[in-house]
């Protein structure tokens, strides 16, 4: 075999190329060996083409011919009738230095359409019907010096983001090209765009696992360097603990605490010891600890039944190295009560908001003015009045300075989140509109309203750099909102079908992010957070 032909074959192949490209190369090699073995004559010029020693011009061709003389270095197609340039279309013409398509009707170029052209210097795709180009169209064309893409109606969307990046890095001369779509980029030079002009990353929550029971509260915690989930199951009265199965890639049962009418199972890890506060509608509420030697949960304390009669929510927090939890009591005669850890157990520290039937409690830190340090606060939601805000008094070690959130009666729950240092709250209402409000330095001010008939949970969640808010409803689909940084508001982007949702919890394990959705009337659902790059 001639040394020059061997050199060409080596240029067109490498040990790391994909199997598809190897197939093209073997096809070319077999044809070449067959040609040399039989000493046959060179292929004739195809029909509808005009050939000279080095050039071939094909006009009105219905397809790309396979019988072009292999020594042709210039190949042109004008007013052709084919609609697609297929993969490996030029694998049998490796000597091409110039390839030109002008005024043709094709609108699709397949991946690897120009594979096997290591010597190609000039490529024109001008004045065709192209709206986009495959990402690897120029891959392997290392000799390319000129590209002409003018006269096409390019859609400058995520599929063409790669072209913007390629134009900044290529050494080839590229004639100026323009966007035809979308409207905001019409007639704009593609070279003037940057990667930041393309929002190509989308997310969604996809169903991952269904758990065969109803649930209320769901919490996640880290214990002994592992991540766990605890779910309050009201009808069986259990706190069900789940752990991640690294082999099966699913959540499996770890342990449980059996009780009656359980509404909240709240974990709290103090130093290395795990405690679980179990709130029940009947039979009293209790505190358990994990006995590492016996490998089970042991009840260590009862919670005052005279104060906590109808618990509805529990919040844990730490202030000045002291651990606390607060129970929101929704009974007519109960007290929302703060408990403090004393080294051996939890004791009653402060009673708040007597006889107001509190349904939710939220711990957060806010500053009264931009110049002051953020201080601990509690927000109590009640079915009988507007949400009440308490501020921590550093001197007395108690919550005081009671104020309320105006014009927001019948708020079932309040949950907070932060964006760029600003504090926001999501307020859930069963009847009327739920709200997003922002802390303005002295009070919370309106940001956004969401229709929310039948809602009992409006939960903000942050997953990586994405801020979400999920609004559940007993009467319609659950609405998932994503925070729009430019608008400084939430925008709707997905619906989830969950029966009577009561809580949403983000769980992160092994770089995977999950959304747990409790259901009071159906099955508990687990979703996985999926990130898709539309430019890939």
């Amino acid at each position: 075999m001639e040394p020059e032909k061997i050199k060409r074959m080596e240029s067109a192949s490498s040990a790391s190329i994909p199997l598809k490209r190897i197939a093209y190369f073997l096809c070319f090699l077999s044809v070449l060996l067959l040609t040399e073995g039989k000493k046959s004559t060179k292929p004739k010029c195809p029909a509808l083409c005009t050939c000279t020693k080095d050039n071939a011009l094909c006009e009105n061709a219905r397809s790309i011919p396979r019988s072009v003389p292999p020594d042709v270095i210039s190949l042109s197609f004008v007013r052709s009738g084919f609609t697609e340039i297929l993969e490996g279309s030029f694998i049998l013409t490796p000597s091409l230095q110039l390839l030109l398509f002008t005024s043709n009707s094709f609108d699709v170029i397949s991946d690897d359409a120009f594979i096997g052209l290591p010597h190609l210097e000039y490529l024109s795709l001008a004045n065709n019907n192209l709206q986009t180009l495959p990402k690897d169209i120029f891959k392997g064309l290392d000799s390319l010096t000129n590209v002409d893409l003018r006269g096409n109606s390019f859609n400058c969307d995520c599929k063409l983001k790669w072209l913007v990046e390629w134009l900044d890095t290529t050494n080839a001369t590229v004639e100026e090209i323009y966007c035809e779509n979308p409207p905001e980029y019409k007639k704009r030079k593609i070279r003037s765009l940057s990667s930041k002009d393309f929002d190509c990353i989308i997310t969604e929550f996809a169903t991952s696992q269904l758990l065969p029971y109803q649930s209320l509260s769901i919490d996640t915690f880290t214990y002994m360097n592992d991540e766990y989930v605890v779910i309050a199951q009201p009808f069986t009265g259990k706190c069900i603990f789940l752990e991640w199965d690294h082999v099966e890639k699913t959540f499996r049962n770890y342990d449980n605490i059996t009780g009656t009418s359980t509404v909240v199972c709240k974990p709290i890890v103090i130093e290395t010891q795990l405690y679980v506060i179990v709130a029940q509608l009947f039979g009293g509420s209790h505190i358990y600890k994990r006995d590492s030697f016996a490998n089970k949960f042991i009840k260590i304390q009862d919670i005052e039944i005279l104060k906590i009669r109808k618990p509805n929510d529990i919040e844990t927090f730490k202030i000045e190295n002291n651990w606390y939890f607060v129970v929101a009591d929704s009974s007519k005669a109960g007290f929302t009560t703060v408990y403090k850890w004393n080294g051996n157990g939890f004791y009653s520290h402060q009673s708040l908001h007597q006889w107001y039937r509190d349904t939710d409690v939220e711990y957060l830190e806010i500053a009264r003015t931009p110049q002051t340090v953020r201080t601990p606060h509690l927000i109590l939601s009640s079915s009988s009045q507007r949400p009440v805000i308490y501020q921590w008094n550093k001197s007395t070690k108690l919550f005081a300075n009671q104020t309320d959130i105006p014009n927001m009666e019948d708020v079932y729950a309040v949950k907070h989140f932060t964006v760029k240092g600003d504090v926001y709250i999501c307020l859930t209402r069963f009847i009327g509109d739920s709200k997003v409000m922002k802390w303005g330095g002295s009070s919370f001010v309106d940001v956004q309203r969401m229709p929310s008939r039948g809602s009992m949970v409006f939960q903000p969640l942050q997953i990586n750099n994405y801020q979400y808010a999920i609004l559940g409803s007993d009467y319609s689909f659950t609405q998932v909102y994503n925070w729009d940084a430019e608008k400084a508001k939430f925008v709707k982007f997905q619906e989830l079908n969950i029966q009577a949702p009561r809580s949403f919890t983000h769980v992160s394990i092994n770089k995977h992010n999950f959304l747990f959705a409790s259901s009071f009337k159906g099955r508990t659902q687990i979703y996985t957070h999926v990130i898709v790059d539309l430019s890939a």
Side-chain angles (χ1 to χ4, degrees):
M1 187 182 301
E2 296 177 11
E4 180 61 24
K5 292 182 179 179
I6 295 176
K7 182 179 180 181
R8 292 171 185 165
M9 288 188 292
E10 290 175 342
S11 300
S13 177
S14 67
S16 62
I17 59 177
L19 293 176
K20 179 171 60 178
R21 297 190 174 192
I22 293 176
Y24 293 145
F25 173 73
L26 292 176
C27 176
F28 164 65
L29 182 61
S30 63
V31 172
L32 187 62
L33 291 174
L34 184 61
T35 301
E36 288 206 353
K38 294 185 177 182
K39 302 295 182 181
S40 61
T41 59
K42 293 180 180 180
K44 295 180 180 181
C45 190
L48 301 177
C49 298
T50 302
C51 301
T52 63
K53 180 180 179 181
D54 297 325
N55 306 309
L57 171 63
C58 301
E59 190 170 0
N60 299 317
R62 308 305 300 175
S63 63
I64 296 177
R66 293 282 182 170
S67 58
V68 176
D71 293 333
V72 163
I73 62 173
S74 174
L75 178 58
S76 302
F77 293 89
V78 180
R79 293 184 293 276
S80 300
F82 51 83
T83 59
E84 181 179 4
I85 303 179
L86 300 173
E87 297 178 356
S89 291
F90 306 98
I91 197 71
L92 300 180
T93 53
S95 299
L96 283 181
Q97 297 177 21
L98 182 148
L99 184 57
L100 183 146
F101 297 87
T102 302
S103 302
N104 297 284
S105 60
F106 66 85
D107 54 11
V108 176
I109 302 177
S110 299
D111 294 335
D112 293 326
F114 303 123
I115 188 174
L117 298 176
H119 306 294
L120 192 66
E121 298 178 5
Y122 181 86
L123 174 58
S124 175
L125 293 168
N127 302 308
N128 294 292
N129 295 320
L130 296 172
Q131 295 183 5
T132 191
L133 293 169
K135 188 173 183 178
D136 294 330
I137 187 174
F138 302 124
K139 188 174 182 179
L141 304 182
D142 299 328
S143 300
L144 206 59
T145 59
N146 291 85
V147 178
D148 191 353
L149 300 172
R150 293 175 296 175
N152 292 290
S153 300
F154 286 118
N155 184 16
C156 296
D157 60 5
C158 289
K159 293 182 180 179
L160 217 59
K161 179 183 176 182
W162 72 268
L163 181 60
V164 173
E165 297 170 344
W166 181 80
L167 288 172
D168 285 337
T169 58
T170 184
N171 293 322
T173 299
V174 184
E175 301 292 341
E176 204 67 76
I177 49 177
Y178 298 83
C179 300
E180 186 65 24
N181 284 298
E184 59 267 27
Y185 291 159
K186 187 177 178 66
K187 303 304 179 185
R188 183 170 173 180
K189 293 180 181 179
I190 294 182
R191 194 186 295 274
S192 72
L193 299 174
S194 68
S195 298
K196 296 179 180 179
D197 293 316
F198 296 86
D199 184 13
C200 299
I201 305 298
I202 63 170
T203 64
E204 69 173 355
F205 292 99
T207 300
S208 174
Q209 189 176 347
L210 294 176
L211 302 177
Y213 45 76
Q214 297 88 355
S215 58
L216 282 177
S217 74
I218 300 178
D219 277 280
T220 180
F221 63 96
T222 301
Y223 175 62
M224 303 295 286
N225 297 320
D226 283 321
E227 194 75 14
Y228 297 89
V229 179
V230 57
I231 301 175
Q233 190 177 351
F235 298 108
T236 63
K238 291 182 178 180
C239 294
I240 298 176
F241 293 81
L242 304 179
E243 64 179 352
W244 178 250
D245 189 321
H246 294 271
V247 177
E248 298 295 331
K249 306 298 181 184
T250 58
F251 289 92
R252 66 186 179 190
N253 287 343
Y254 168 71
D255 205 342
N256 65 79
I257 296 174
T258 301
T260 58
S261 61
T262 303
V263 292
V264 183
C265 306
K266 195 71 175 182
I268 179 171
V269 179
I270 300 177
E271 295 180 349
T272 59
Q273 181 61 60
L274 169 64
Y275 299 92
V276 181
I277 305 134
V278 180
Q280 302 182 141
L281 295 181
F282 307 103
S285 297
H286 315 283
I287 300 175
Y288 292 78
K289 79 170 184 178
R290 184 70 180 177
D291 190 316
S292 57
F293 295 102
N295 198 30
K296 64 180 181 179
F297 288 99
I298 299 175
K299 185 170 71 172
I300 62 167
Q301 187 179 344
D302 296 326
I303 298 177
E304 306 160 287
I305 195 169
L306 293 179
K307 289 187 176 182
I308 307 301
R309 299 184 175 216
K310 192 177 180 183
N312 205 70
D313 186 38
I314 298 176
E315 184 85 331
T316 62
F317 51 91
K318 188 177 184 181
I319 301 177
E320 299 173 355
N321 295 319
N322 291 311
W323 281 101
Y324 301 84
F325 73 83
V326 55
V327 182
D329 190 273
S330 60
S331 68
K332 292 181 179 180
F335 301 83
T336 290
T337 306
V338 180
Y339 292 84
K340 182 181 179 181
W341 173 253
N342 68 357
N344 296 309
F346 292 91
Y347 67 92
S348 177
H349 181 72
Q350 183 182 7
S351 293
L352 301 168
H353 216 211
Q354 301 178 17
W355 309 308
Y356 278 106
R357 303 178 68 180
D358 295 327
T359 53
D360 179 82
V361 56
E362 178 76 351
Y363 174 83
L364 71 165
E365 295 182 354
I366 54 179
R368 285 292 172 178
T369 65
Q371 291 75 29
T372 57
V373 178
R374 289 187 176 182
T375 58
H377 287 71
L378 290 178
I379 302 179
L380 302 183
S381 302
S382 171
S383 59
S384 60
Q385 71 174 81
R386 292 172 292 195
V388 177
I389 305 174
Y390 290 88
Q391 181 178 348
W392 178 257
N393 187 306
K394 191 173 182 179
S395 300
T396 62
K397 311 297 183 185
L398 298 171
F399 287 98
N401 299 335
Q402 177 180 337
T403 58
D404 62 21
I405 299 177
N407 304 317
M408 281 303 293
E409 286 75 19
D410 300 320
V411 172
Y412 181 79
V414 175
K415 303 300 177 186
H416 84 284
F417 65 99
T418 60
V419 175
K420 294 182 179 180
D422 292 322
V423 178
Y424 296 81
I425 54 175
C426 293
L427 300 93
T428 312
R429 299 178 76 190
F430 191 81
I431 299 175
D433 291 342
S434 291
K435 270 189 182 182
V436 178
M437 304 184 79
K438 178 182 178 180
W439 178 250
S442 59
S443 63
F444 284 99
V445 295
D446 288 0
V447 171
Q448 190 174 5
R449 288 176 175 265
M450 281 84 163
S452 60
R453 182 175 178 269
S455 296
M456 296 186 72
V457 54
F458 187 17
Q459 180 67 54
L461 292 170
Q462 184 170 357
I463 302 178
N464 297 328
N465 295 323
Y466 301 95
Q467 179 65 55
Y468 299 101
I470 307 178
L471 182 62
S473 173
D474 284 12
Y475 305 135
S476 61
F477 287 106
T478 290
Q479 303 297 328
V480 183
Y481 297 86
N482 190 15
W483 182 260
D484 188 313
E486 292 185 3
K487 298 178 181 178
K489 290 184 177 181
F490 284 109
V491 294
K492 189 188 302 183
F493 88 106
Q494 188 177 359
E495 291 184 340
L496 302 176
N497 187 9
I498 304 165
Q499 288 184 276
R502 292 296 181 267
S503 64
F504 299 100
T505 304
H506 168 223
V507 179
S508 179
I509 295 179
N510 287 353
K511 297 182 179 180
H512 295 287
N513 292 286
F514 300 93
L515 172 68
F516 276 69
S518 70
S519 171
F520 186 65
K521 296 181 179 179
R523 293 189 293 178
T524 302
Q525 300 191 47
I526 307 175
Y527 298 87
T528 182
H529 184 250
V530 180
I531 301 176
V532 180
D533 186 352
L534 297 178
S535 67

